[in-house]
Amino acid sequence: MARSFDTTKFVGFTQVGKDTIESMGWQVTDVREWMEYKNSKRTDHRLGTYVTLQDPKSLQELVVKTAQKFDDDLIGKHVHLVIDEVKIYARGTKTTSDFATVEVSLTVQIEEDQSVKQPQK
């Protein structure tokens, strides 16, 4: 059976990049529901969670999505990521424009970092 050709290494997301993101310790700054859309309309079916993360050292942010269903209790906790899927695509800047921006979407599994003392509520 043929394997799918991995084009991500040609468009800017390498194994080294994946390893770097997965080895970093992240802190959760926001969570919001990832909902299913049908016919351009939002349904009541929740697919998972969008999670905004921040690297405590550089203060850079990263938004990922996960099929895991988290709520606000995750905010402030330190986590590690395991990347399941990377999608790289072009998003048009305007409907009448010939230009686009390159977007990267990461679908991940999130694991709480047990080595960092988590904040108490």
Side-chain angles (χ1 to χ4, degrees):
M1 181 174 180
R3 290 187 323 175
S4 178
F5 186 76
D6 181 14
T7 58
T8 55
K9 61 185 169 188
F10 299 104
V11 289
F13 197 82
T14 63
Q15 185 65 43
V16 172
K18 179 180 183 288
D19 293 345
T20 299
I21 288 173
E22 289 181 340
S23 69
M24 294 172 69
W26 297 94
Q27 186 170 11
V28 177
T29 59
D30 191 30
V31 296
R32 61 185 172 88
E33 295 176 328
W34 169 26
M35 304 301 285
E36 179 179 39
Y37 283 76
K38 287 189 178 176
N39 300 321
S40 300
K41 294 191 179 180
R42 182 178 163 150
T43 68
D44 290 335
H45 182 239
R46 184 176 179 191
L47 298 174
T49 311
Y50 286 104
V51 181
T52 303
L53 306 161
Q54 186 176 61
D55 173 24
K57 295 175 186 169
S58 69
L59 302 181
Q60 293 180 323
E61 283 193 340
L62 176 67
V63 178
V64 297
K65 64 183 176 180
T66 180
Q68 297 164 285
K69 295 177 177 134
F70 294 111
D71 55 25
D72 289 346
D73 291 346
L74 191 64
I75 295 173
K77 293 191 177 177
H78 292 267
V79 298
H80 285 285
L81 308 179
V82 176
I83 298 173
D84 291 334
E85 180 180 31
V86 178
K87 289 184 182 177
I88 301 174
Y89 56 96
R91 180 185 305 261
T93 54
K94 294 181 183 176
T95 55
T96 58
S97 174
D98 291 335
F99 299 99
T101 58
V102 175
E103 300 281 337
V104 178
S105 172
L106 298 178
T107 304
V108 302
Q109 292 293 313
I110 296 177
E111 302 168 352
E112 283 191 45
D113 185 347
Q114 301 302 321
S115 68
V116 175
K117 185 173 175 141
Q118 302 289 358
Q120 301 295 320
K121 291 206 173 204

